[in-house]
Amino acid sequence: MKTKERILHSVLFEAIALVFVIVAATLFTDAGAKSATGLAVGLSLIAMCWNYVYNLGFDRVYGTNRIERSVKMRLGHGLGFELGMIFATLPLMMWVLQLDFWTVFIMDIGVVIFFLVYAIVFNWCYDVIRARLFTHQAGNGKVNQGSSPQQVS
């Protein structure tokens, strides 16, 4: 993917996630829609910043050849990212929701599980839709060279 498409992918991912998180926070906590929205936006911003910093550091330590990364390394990468997210988001969630550590910790684990499933589903759907769009465009002669669906990472 080129930079513009990566930005589109990230924005779509976060925008759809915000809807889920706002609705869940409103339904499952005593937070009002305003607090839930503020919390969801804050968590999204933390996730985007942490994603950049974490992956920059990870690539510096383990190299940028992502194709050669083992399943064990990928699991370690994902676990490290999610543990960092829990550490970074607990204080914000405790403050906004006015709940104790253990309650927020359990909620945060639920959020991590949701995002694990959501990321798999979102990326699969994105890849399928992207492949169909490029197949459709190829039939019309509109595919740019270097933009094939095989480049999806």
Side-chain angles (χ1 to χ4, degrees):
M1 279 191 271
K2 296 188 180 200
T3 302
K4 286 183 182 179
E5 186 179 356
R6 287 187 187 278
I7 292 169
L8 172 67
H9 179 270
S10 181
V11 168
L12 283 173
F13 181 90
E14 292 298 330
I16 294 168
L18 280 172
V19 172
F20 285 118
V21 172
I22 291 167
V23 170
T26 303
L27 291 175
F28 299 119
T29 69
D30 291 332
K34 186 177 178 180
S35 292
T37 301
L39 176 61
V41 170
L43 295 174
S44 180
L45 291 172
I46 290 170
M48 287 190 286
C49 292
W50 175 236
N51 184 35
Y52 178 81
V53 170
Y54 181 77
N55 285 309
L56 184 65
F58 195 89
D59 287 348
R60 285 189 179 166
V61 172
Y62 295 103
T64 57
N65 187 349
R66 296 176 180 179
I67 300 301
E68 307 252 340
R69 291 183 180 169
S70 67
V71 172
K72 184 177 177 181
M73 181 178 282
R74 291 179 184 279
L75 288 172
H77 175 268
L79 182 61
F81 177 82
E82 294 301 341
L83 288 173
M85 276 298 295
I86 288 173
F87 180 76
T89 59
L90 271 172
L92 177 64
M93 290 176 70
M94 288 172 63
W95 178 63
V96 171
L97 300 174
Q98 294 296 297
L99 296 171
D100 65 282
F101 173 83
W102 290 111
T103 302
V104 172
F105 182 71
I106 298 300
M107 289 174 66
D108 216 358
I109 289 173
V111 169
V112 166
I113 292 168
F114 162 77
F115 271 99
L116 176 63
V117 173
Y118 170 67
I120 292 167
V121 172
F122 175 86
N123 286 305
W124 177 75
C125 291
Y126 184 90
D127 291 344
V128 168
I129 291 167
R130 183 178 190 270
R132 287 184 182 163
L133 286 174
F134 278 108
T135 300
H136 176 71
Q137 289 177 350
N140 295 332
K142 294 182 180 177
V143 170
N144 294 331
Q145 224 159 3
S147 298
S148 68
Q150 289 79 22
Q151 289 183 339
V152 175
S153 52

